[in-house]
Amino acid sequence: MIALYFFLIFFLNFVINSQCLRLNYKPIVIAHRGASGYLPEHTLEAKTAAYFMQADFIEQDVVLSKDNHPVVLHDLYLDEVSDVAIKYPERKRVDSRYYAIDFTLSELKTLKIFERFKRNDPNVPYYPNRFPLGKSQFQISTLEEEIELLQGLEQSFKQIYSLDESMPVNYFNSHKVGLYVEIKQPEFHFEEGKSNFSEIVLDVLAKYGYKDKTDKLFLQCFDPKELKRIKDELKSNLTLVQLLEKDQESDGIKWTSRKGLEEIKKFADGIGPEKSQLVDYNEENGLIVASDLHRNAKELGLFIHVYTFRIDALPKYASSDHDDKVEKINVKMAKVRLEIAKFANA
């Protein structure tokens, strides 16, 4: 994949069923927060760039505004990606944080979005080699706006390419871009009186044609209770992904254990562990072997989506080559791919 200087997630083994997309043992690229190595995260510009970079899936983290609009933000907070502290200094809570849920959509639209910066020093970006801090004009977008943008790009390219019958099949005239939606911290929303958070998101997705496992969309969440509710109570037939933190535990269940994965299998189709949970890496000899989490998930038939590979913060077992002349990024993960070949079908 050319010019992928943005966050990467690799699919190690993605198999749903015979009626759905089937990609066996082939890594595919998800634009995590869009092309966020090039442009401020979760802006429409970052998502547009990700589309032109031919990402297979593009991610949307979703939180609610005060007036119940699903907006695309990585965090509950606004103070590390916007000028909220300048525009609305009196709106911070007792913890000195500015929460998106305290602002209406019209108020959120007045904010300027920037490259992520350190809250205790707004002049210092988290990633200094990315988009210049404070430059240009970017806004918060709603989930609807983002879906309409991506579907619109897909439609216009297919229509234009259809005018030339000699044009070979390629990404732009044949590809259907996938969405990867995360419901962020549903328990917090419940405590804020918005227990219908997931229902609101599902309604938006259904409005734009995302209802079934055959649709090119993944719905992810760190909260197993809410993901189970989406499956059992809300009767969702979307492909569900249980995100996993290291040693994640709730309701007496360690979700990364065999027992935890067996519970997850009852309501989700796959898991999304942090990359360090997938492999055991021996720094002395450079060997990478499958972790127990990986082996158990494979045995139970859960697909695995790993997060997150950043070109400017790669783990020790990954490497990258950057040719500045052609701006070609090759996140080759040579050792990882060798090991994947050995154990992906184990």
Side-chain angles (χ1 to χ4, degrees):
M1 188 70 71
I2 303 299
L4 290 180
Y5 191 68
F6 60 94
F7 291 8
L8 304 179
I9 300 178
F10 285 82
F11 277 92
L12 302 184
N13 178 24
F14 166 36
V15 185
I16 299 178
N17 59 44
S18 59
Q19 295 180 327
C20 303
L21 177 70
R22 186 177 180 91
L23 290 166
N24 287 337
Y25 322 125
K26 178 186 178 184
I28 68 173
V29 176
I30 301 171
H32 186 249
R33 309 183 207 177
S36 50
Y38 282 110
L39 290 154
E41 65 184 58
H42 279 321
T43 58
L44 291 180
E45 291 83 354
K47 304 307 172 72
T48 302
Y51 178 83
F52 279 98
M53 290 176 179
Q54 304 180 31
D56 297 295
F57 288 81
I58 299 176
E59 187 204 30
Q60 300 77 31
D61 294 314
V62 180
V63 301
L64 285 183
S65 67
K66 186 176 183 178
D67 46 351
N68 291 331
H69 289 277
V71 294
V72 183
L73 282 169
H74 180 261
D75 302 312
L76 299 174
Y77 319 110
L78 298 160
D79 41 49
E80 291 187 339
V81 293
S82 80
D83 60 351
V84 64
I86 297 173
K87 281 198 170 74
Y88 300 99
E90 75 287 352
R91 302 284 286 276
K92 63 183 177 182
R93 293 194 180 188
V94 293
D95 61 357
S96 297
R97 304 305 301 266
Y98 295 84
Y99 289 75
I101 205 168
D102 292 334
F103 295 81
T104 64
L105 179 59
S106 61
E107 289 173 330
L108 292 173
K109 286 292 189 180
T110 68
L111 300 177
K112 290 183 178 180
I113 297 297
F114 305 123
E115 181 66 34
R116 182 171 289 272
F117 54 85
K118 296 185 178 181
R119 186 165 57 96
N120 60 353
D121 191 347
N123 295 314
V124 178
Y126 267 94
Y127 299 98
N129 295 322
R130 296 186 181 181
F131 195 87
L133 185 59
K135 300 296 184 180
S136 197
Q137 261 326 96
F138 303 97
Q139 265 193 338
I140 288 174
S141 61
T142 66
L143 179 59
E144 290 195 62
E145 288 170 341
E146 187 161 319
I147 293 173
E148 288 180 357
L149 170 71
L150 295 174
Q151 289 187 346
L153 284 169
E154 185 178 289
Q155 178 180 325
S156 61
F157 267 86
K158 286 180 179 177
Q159 289 175 339
I160 293 298
Y161 274 68
S162 69
L163 299 177
D164 185 357
E165 295 182 357
S166 66
M167 183 68 66
V169 174
N170 59 46
Y171 176 93
F172 296 110
N173 63 15
S174 64
H175 181 73
K176 185 175 180 63
V177 67
L179 304 185
Y180 208 120
V181 179
E182 180 180 348
I183 294 179
K184 301 290 289 190
Q185 300 197 33
E187 186 174 354
F188 168 84
H189 285 82
F190 183 86
E191 292 170 353
E192 294 290 316
K194 297 185 183 295
S195 59
N196 62 337
F197 179 23
S198 293
E199 288 90 329
I200 292 171
V201 173
L202 289 172
D203 285 346
V204 171
L205 297 179
K207 176 182 175 180
Y208 289 94
Y210 302 98
K211 301 176 182 179
D212 300 303
K213 294 186 187 299
T214 51
D215 299 317
K216 200 170 181 182
L217 179 139
F218 296 103
L219 186 64
Q220 61 178 340
C221 188
F222 276 102
D223 188 334
K225 183 184 296 184
E226 185 64 9
L227 207 61
K228 188 175 188 300
R229 188 177 81 88
I230 290 170
K231 173 71 172 180
D232 296 341
E233 183 179 324
L234 303 184
K235 306 299 182 184
S236 173
N237 195 39
L238 293 171
T239 304
L240 303 181
V241 182
Q242 176 63 57
L243 293 170
L244 292 172
E245 297 177 294
K246 187 175 182 180
D247 299 324
Q248 182 174 334
E249 188 171 349
S250 62
D251 300 321
I253 300 173
K254 185 178 179 182
W255 294 101
T256 55
S257 69
R258 175 79 184 205
K259 178 182 177 182
L261 294 177
E262 288 172 352
E263 288 298 313
I264 289 170
K265 178 67 175 177
K266 296 175 183 178
F267 57 84
D269 303 281
I271 59 170
E274 200 278 329
K275 57 185 176 295
S276 64
Q277 300 178 73
L278 184 69
V279 297
D280 294 323
Y281 173 56
N282 187 319
E283 292 191 32
E284 292 184 2
N285 57 26
L287 290 179
I288 302 171
V289 296
S291 66
D292 289 340
L293 175 66
H294 179 275
R295 286 191 291 268
N296 287 330
K298 290 282 292 181
E299 289 173 6
L300 292 169
L302 292 163
F303 60 74
I304 304 170
H305 304 182
V306 186
Y307 70 90
T308 306
F309 288 89
R310 297 170 172 87
I311 190 67
D312 43 8
L314 286 172
K316 292 181 179 180
Y317 53 80
S319 61
S320 66
D321 293 329
H322 190 170
D323 184 341
D324 291 320
K325 293 182 180 180
V326 297
E327 201 180 38
K328 178 180 180 180
I329 299 299
N330 175 26
V331 182
K332 56 186 180 181
M333 302 287 289
K335 293 180 181 177
V336 174
R337 290 188 181 183
L338 275 175
E339 293 304 320
I340 290 170
K342 293 177 183 177
F343 65 69
N345 209 15

